[in-house]
Amino acid sequence: MRLGEMKSEDICSVGSKGETNEQLVNAEPEIPRREPRKACITQIQEIQVTLADINGVHPAITELEKELFLPPLGFSLGLSLKSEQKMEIVQSALRAMPARLTKSHGKYRCIGNVRLYRLAVSCLAPSEEISALVTTSRDKRDVIQPNYLAEIYLLPAVLALGLDDVRRLYEIWKNNKDNQLFKSVLPLRTKTAFADAFRVSPASLTKKS
């Protein structure tokens, strides 16, 4: 049957896309498609910042320490090291593992590598610049607090050095301590200073046969 020969009721029973009335009634409603959400990309910027420009540790961390009664944690640098050596070692460590900061209302706060940041505060002048990574995202407590606990519990457990490892590192250092690369990273000059930095006795560095 040509369109010109169709009856009016036949024409009414055909939809705009050629569907019949029955097909139109039984058709499932179209669900509007949503545009995929854009992923939130966190940008990290490496900077040099003075300790005076960092407004301490993030409140989420200090509040957690009070809540759990976390005691002050000691630092690995021994008492026999000269202040200049401590400063060099801390700066070298921060270049390798920068403090992680967040910025809010124009103020920096430390949210990562907290112990090293606190060590820097204890032995560097406020005017000293340190290496830091600034994140653009506003990390929340449910992110900051687990990360801090992992920093103080898991990292020492996973990365702890046994005495045999310290002995091997000592032998390598002893044979290369005049190398400029070693001088720039680990400015130690004596066996006692090395042992003190790694919190072992000088005698224990030499394995007894």
Side-chain angles (χ1 to χ4, degrees):
M1 179 186 297
R2 293 190 299 273
L3 183 59
E5 299 175 349
M6 292 177 64
K7 298 179 181 178
S8 59
E9 58 268 22
D10 294 327
I11 295 176
C12 293
S13 66
V14 179
S16 60
K17 296 182 180 180
E19 306 98 327
T20 65
N21 284 338
E22 183 179 357
Q23 289 174 325
L24 290 172
V25 170
N26 296 329
E28 295 183 2
E30 291 187 6
I31 300 175
R33 296 181 59 186
R34 292 184 178 181
E35 292 295 327
R37 295 179 63 183
K38 294 182 179 179
C40 181
I41 300 176
T42 299
Q43 294 182 345
I44 297 178
Q45 179 184 11
E46 186 171 359
I47 65 169
Q48 292 290 314
V49 59
T50 65
L51 288 171
D53 289 330
I54 303 175
N55 197 25
V57 176
H58 196 282
I61 292 174
T62 56
E63 290 170 10
L64 179 67
E65 290 175 327
K66 291 179 182 178
E67 179 185 342
L68 299 180
F69 300 100
L70 287 170
L73 299 175
F75 303 117
S76 298
L77 293 182
L79 297 175
S80 69
L81 295 179
K82 296 179 180 180
S83 59
E84 295 81 5
Q85 289 178 318
K86 288 183 180 180
M87 292 169 61
E88 290 180 48
I89 291 173
V90 169
Q91 287 286 24
S92 180
L94 280 166
R95 285 192 292 271
M97 298 173 291
R100 187 177 171 212
L101 310 177
T102 185
K103 189 175 184 180
S104 178
H105 305 294
K107 295 181 180 180
Y108 294 112
R109 292 185 186 273
C110 183
I111 60 172
N113 213 355
V114 176
R115 292 191 65 206
L116 190 50
Y117 161 72
R118 283 175 167 162
L119 177 58
V121 171
S122 73
C123 64
L124 300 178
S127 58
E128 287 282 337
E129 288 189 343
I130 65 169
S131 300
L133 299 176
V134 181
T135 177
T136 57
S137 67
R138 292 187 178 181
D139 284 343
K140 299 180 181 179
R141 277 172 168 70
D142 59 355
V143 175
I144 295 174
Q145 292 182 342
N147 286 348
Y148 177 61
L149 284 180
E151 179 182 322
I152 62 175
Y153 277 97
L154 294 184
L155 290 185
V158 173
L159 302 179
L161 291 174
L163 182 57
D164 286 340
D165 294 320
V166 175
R167 285 171 175 163
R168 283 192 287 269
L169 292 177
Y170 168 71
E171 289 299 324
I172 296 171
W173 169 81
K174 183 177 68 173
N175 296 327
N176 293 276
K177 62 182 179 179
D178 294 327
N179 182 293
Q180 188 58 40
L181 178 61
F182 273 77
K183 285 182 178 180
S184 65
V185 174
L186 195 64
L188 304 175
R189 300 293 176 262
T190 65
K191 180 179 181 179
T192 300
F194 185 96
D196 201 23
F198 284 87
R199 288 190 169 184
V200 298
S201 67
S204 68
L205 291 174
T206 304
K207 191 173 182 179
K208 296 180 181 180
S209 49

